[in-house]
Amino acid sequence: MISSTSPSLLDGFVDWSILADPSTIEKCRQSLKDDGVMLLPNFVTPAGITHLKEEILSCPHNESTQHYTPYQDQGDFEKYPASHPRNYKLHSSASFVGRKSLETTTKVQCISMYNDERVIDFLSKVLGHKLYRSKDENGSVYSYRITSNHNPPWHFDESHYTMILYLQSSESGGEFEYVPWCRPTRSVDDEVGHDIINKILIEKDNNDDIIQQVQPQDGMLLFFAGAHTFHRAAPIQGNTARIGLVFTFSEDKTFRNSDDVKSSNQWDPADF
């Protein structure tokens, strides 16, 4: 039986019965292996979307504009030449609300969702091994807000796994674009990762054969191996911002993001 830390607070926010279905676990396991992503449409209910989005929008947000590599750092010019994919830099912009701000809300609903044992138990069963919540003070739980003026770039995550709850769609665009399981390790020195960056961002060949797309829907849960998957949110069009709630997980119980990644993202206005 899947346990819960605070069932009453989140009852009606999500369809918990989905996570308790053994056939869903097997289907998600196969999808993650074959497609590189696991999708649960309509996991968050309309009421849950309303309440989680209201909580996020009640918080101060940080307008982050950065210039960094696809590893979310400033590169390694001692080991690699400036022209090497390891040092290729992109413009990044988005609005963020980090964990520190979400923890100050009246009901702390977003944090309660992250801490609910039913979520991490389900994901661990899908993976077939124990998963741990990130210890990062902001990068563990955060929300993003993307408008047509923003540019969320292609990147690898530093944390092993990432879960996104989609709460508000834009009029068009904003697809989740990704190259599944394309980096064997989490190392910034992984040559296969360098090759992907070169192919997608520098050579800019016709990459339709390797870039996959998911059209997010409000209420959808998306889960993937962010450290091994090159990904981005495609540009959006229209006046409505795309809003998502992000949870990160690790195979290491002590995982925290590096200072470089924290500095590059600026997840929470409390830090700046």
Side-chain angles (χ1 to χ4, degrees):
M1 184 172 181
I2 300 178
S3 60
S4 168
T5 54
S6 55
S8 60
L9 182 64
L10 299 172
D11 277 355
F13 279 27
V14 299
D15 185 354
W16 292 115
S17 66
I18 296 176
L19 306 190
D21 184 352
S23 65
T24 298
I25 294 171
E26 183 54 38
K27 179 181 177 182
C28 288
R29 181 181 295 130
Q30 199 63 44
S31 176
L32 186 62
K33 177 183 176 182
D34 295 343
D35 303 327
V37 295
M38 180 200 86
L39 303 174
L40 291 178
N42 303 313
F43 175 65
V44 185
T45 66
I49 291 172
T50 297
H51 286 286
L52 294 174
K53 190 165 63 173
E54 285 179 351
E55 181 170 271
I56 290 165
L57 294 176
S58 73
C59 295
H61 68 275
N62 186 49
E63 192 72 24
S64 177
T65 300
Q66 299 291 316
H67 196 61
Y68 55 63
T69 74
Y71 302 98
Q72 303 179 72
D73 64 12
Q74 295 305 306
D76 186 345
F77 291 89
E78 292 185 4
K79 187 179 292 185
Y80 301 98
S83 60
H84 193 277
R86 173 67 181 92
N87 291 319
Y88 185 84
K89 289 189 178 182
L90 314 95
H91 170 72
S92 169
S93 58
S95 293
F96 292 114
V97 178
R99 178 169 188 152
K100 288 181 181 178
S101 290
L102 292 171
E103 287 178 332
T104 67
T105 61
T106 303
K107 296 183 178 179
V108 290
Q109 295 161 145
C110 295
I111 303 299
S112 295
M113 178 76 73
Y114 183 60
N115 288 333
D116 196 293
E117 290 298 324
R118 289 171 288 190
V119 173
I120 198 164
D121 284 355
F122 172 75
L123 297 177
S124 294
K125 289 176 181 177
V126 168
L127 290 171
H129 61 261
K130 179 68 174 176
L131 203 59
Y132 300 95
R133 299 180 188 91
S134 168
K135 298 294 186 182
D136 199 83
E137 65 272 18
N138 269 321
S140 54
V141 182
Y142 64 92
S143 174
Y144 65 78
R145 193 179 315 175
I146 300 172
T147 70
S148 58
N149 296 321
H150 287 140
N151 180 50
W154 284 97
H155 64 283
F156 290 108
D157 290 342
E158 192 171 40
S159 56
H160 290 83
Y161 293 96
T162 303
M163 172 178 148
I164 305 173
L165 297 177
Y166 290 100
L167 303 177
Q168 179 172 289
S169 300
S170 53
E171 279 90 343
S172 62
E175 297 85 1
F176 178 76
E177 296 187 327
Y178 68 105
V179 183
W181 300 113
C182 63
R183 185 171 66 151
T185 75
R186 295 172 57 239
S187 171
V188 295
D189 297 315
D190 190 317
E191 293 182 357
V192 180
H194 298 166
D195 289 343
I196 287 294
I197 293 170
N198 185 63
K199 187 175 180 62
I200 302 292
L201 298 178
I202 300 175
E203 293 182 352
K204 298 182 179 179
D205 292 334
N206 183 350
N207 294 305
D208 292 345
D209 59 327
I210 63 171
I211 296 177
Q212 308 297 313
Q213 279 193 343
V214 171
Q215 181 61 60
Q217 304 165 3
D218 292 359
M220 175 184 283
L221 183 160
L222 184 150
F223 179 72
F224 67 108
H228 302 285
T229 299
F230 204 41
H231 61 281
R232 74 163 182 170
I236 72 165
Q237 295 82 43
N239 297 318
T240 303
R242 177 174 291 286
I243 298 175
L245 179 61
V246 179
F247 300 157
T248 64
F249 302 92
S250 178
E251 295 173 351
D252 174 5
K253 65 174 65 177
T254 64
F255 174 83
R256 294 177 186 270
N257 289 106
S258 65
D259 289 342
D260 282 342
V261 169
K262 291 177 185 179
S263 177
S264 292
N265 282 281
Q266 298 184 342
W267 283 298
D268 198 279
D271 290 336
F272 301 96

